[in-house]
Amino acid sequence: MIERHRTEEALYRVAVSAFTHYPGKDAKEPGYTVDEDINWCIAPLLPLPPQQAAQMRETIRELITNPQSDRQAFIAALDRLTGE
């Protein structure tokens, strides 16, 4: 289980990253990579087992880069991590 404050922090970070991401950001901001945002977003969840963390990284990548992605499923997944 992961503490609620960690999942809330991850949710906040994903929201900020998704809101500030735009197509071509890596070209306009030299040195930027989406992996940088993903690493920041997942940091509060790092007690996750490696396989689960890898899956969460892919979910976060989708949430950041695709405005049409299902955020409700991500929020539900975070709730499951807390055991609630």
Side-chain angles (χ1 to χ4, degrees), residues 5 16 26 29-30 40 66-67 73-74 77 81:
H5 72 92
V16 168
D26 55 342
E29 295 183 26
W40 179 62
N66 180 0
F74 177 66
L81 291 176

Side-chain angles (χ1 to χ4, degrees), residues 3-84:
E3 295 118 349
R4 166 67 66 192
H5 72 92
R6 289 178 166 276
T7 60
E8 289 174 352
E9 182 66 21
L11 180 60
Y12 166 78
R13 291 178 181 200
V14 170
V16 168
S17 295
F19 186 75
T20 59
H21 183 79
Y22 55 90
K25 183 175 182 176
D26 55 342
K28 288 191 175 194
E29 295 183 26
Y32 168 81
T33 66
V34 73
D35 287 326
E36 174 180 293
D37 282 347
I38 294 167
N39 292 338
W40 179 62
C41 292
I42 201 163
L45 304 177
L46 283 184
L48 287 175
Q51 183 178 7
Q52 198 173 5
Q55 291 171 342
M56 188 63 73
R57 286 180 64 81
E58 288 308 310
T59 299
I60 291 169
R61 178 183 304 279
E62 179 68 16
L63 291 167
I64 291 171
T65 60
N66 180 0
Q68 303 301 317
S69 56
D70 184 3
R71 285 153 174 78
Q72 292 297 327
F74 177 66
I75 293 168
L78 290 176
D79 283 342
R80 285 191 299 277
L81 291 176
T82 65
E84 296 178 9

